[in-house]
Amino acid sequence: MSRARGANAKAFGIFEATPGVTPAPGASWFGIPFVSHTLGEERPLIPSDLLGQGREMQDPTPDVATNDGDMIVPVDVRNFGHWLKLFFGNPVSTAGAASEETHVFTSGVATLPSMSLEIGAPEIPAYSTHYGLRGNQLKISQARSGLLNATCSLVGIGESPTAAVTAAGAGATASLPITRFPQASGYVKKDGQQLGSVVSADFTYSNALEKIETIKADGRIEDSDPGMVSMSGSVGVRFRDTTLLLAATNGTPIELDFGWASGVHGLVFAVPRVFLPAVKRPIAGPNGILATFNWQASGANAPSVTVTLTNDVPTYA
């Protein structure tokens, strides 16, 4: 018998019509490229508190089940749209010239979709499906070089028992062609203009999911509901002018755009109302001075974040 290896692991996903109910096998299942994951149902044991039974410990009692974890995925031109749909809901898609499609996702929608996600080890074979998954937090970090990945923190209802047959079925669709957005093509803009001397940046979008912890015989949550949207992050810049410093001192909101390009395709997270705190500018030696601004977004006047993905995929419906 072969031993399971991560290099051969398979992941397939499908959006659920009813939260927590995994759809039937077929072409609606789509392949998911991923880097790593920490999903899996856990059910801890509660130690016995009985007295009068001697010094030996008595049998433990199973506690409630949880299935929370992270899925680290490549930020690519096509497949990443599925994750944006999970976190932001259905996009508004518009066809353009030369088969270019523009998909616009906005924060704060009332209803978010849920997903079933099967992960399998074909060598065994062993497959299990995580169902009722919703997107809690989405984090992306920018750097001058390296691979561009996103950490998707998920909350699920449960996980199916391990089976020897895939739930996605033989007719499942393979992942879309993978073209990663390079870190080297990234940029940060302030009020529509390139922000200079940025050495690092990151942001986290949160749906603040609230688990519906009803009393059920299976010990699982009923579902999870979206809470208050938040968008925050940090920008580290070499101290060469007072552009961000003045905005922080005055308390004036600014617009920040975080984007990447791959040929004619692009991805932009536009955050139109950002507040910057006043920050220190410590000097640790003779080299350049770095200032890091930990910003917060507001959705008081418009959605706190709008994501625009441009590619050749007709729809994510």
Side-chain angles (χ1 to χ4, degrees), residues 145-161:
S145 66
L147 296 174
L148 181 60
N149 294 324
T151 300
C152 302
S153 297
L154 310 174
V155 173
I157 294 176
E159 180 183 6
S160 69

Side-chain angles (χ1 to χ4, degrees), residues 61-302:
T61 300
D63 201 358
V64 295
T66 59
N67 190 4
D68 306 344
D70 293 344
M71 191 92 171
I72 299 179
V73 300
V75 179
D76 78 319
V77 168
R78 301 173 183 88
N79 295 280
F80 192 60
H82 295 306
W83 294 105
L84 292 174
K85 177 179 175 178
L86 183 66
F87 279 87
F88 293 91
N90 286 318
V92 175
S93 299
T94 306
S99 300
E100 281 299 301
E101 309 284 341
T102 300
H103 311 280
V104 179
F105 303 81
T106 56
S107 61
V109 298
T111 303
L112 293 174
S114 62
M115 174 190 283
S116 286
L117 176 62
E118 180 190 69
I119 298 176
E123 303 96 335
I124 305 299
Y127 300 88
S128 65
T129 302
H130 307 270
Y131 53 88
L133 290 174
R134 295 190 187 273
N136 190 28
Q137 288 189 338
L138 175 67
K139 181 175 182 178
I140 298 179
S141 297
Q142 281 186 294
R144 183 171 177 269
S145 66
L147 296 174
L148 181 60
N149 294 324
T151 300
C152 302
S153 297
L154 310 174
V155 173
I157 294 176
E159 180 183 6
S160 69
T162 301
V165 179
T166 170
T173 306
S175 65
L176 298 170
I178 303 170
T179 303
R180 256 183 157 126
F181 285 108
Q183 282 278 27
S185 72
Y187 59 84
V188 180
K189 291 183 178 181
K190 172 189 175 292
D191 298 329
Q193 301 297 317
Q194 184 83 33
L195 186 61
S197 297
V198 177
V199 297
S200 66
D202 65 73
F203 57 84
T204 300
Y205 174 79
S206 175
N207 282 314
L209 293 180
E210 178 188 15
K211 295 181 181 180
I212 310 304
E213 299 182 299
T214 53
I215 299 173
K216 297 169 56 187
D218 63 5
R220 299 184 175 96
I221 63 172
E222 180 179 332
D223 200 352
S224 55
D225 289 342
M228 191 74 73
V229 165
S230 68
M231 182 73 165
S232 61
S234 67
V235 176
V237 296
R238 288 286 189 175
F239 186 49
R240 73 169 191 177
D241 57 41
T242 59
T243 300
L244 294 182
L245 187 63
L246 288 176
T249 304
N250 298 335
T252 305
I254 62 172
E255 178 180 350
L256 289 179
D257 296 339
F258 304 88
W260 301 266
S262 177
V264 296
H265 306 309
L267 173 65
V268 180
F269 285 76
V271 193
R273 191 172 175 83
V274 170
F275 289 85
L276 302 173
V279 299
K280 297 179 180 180
R281 300 179 303 282
I283 300 175
N287 295 326
I289 300 173
L290 181 69
T292 300
F293 295 83
N294 296 310
W295 53 267
Q296 295 183 31
S298 169
N301 299 334

Side-chain angles (χ1 to χ4, degrees), residues 24-39:
S28 295
W29 287 80
F30 49 85
I32 295 180
F34 71 102
V35 176
S36 64
H37 83 88
T38 58
L39 291 169

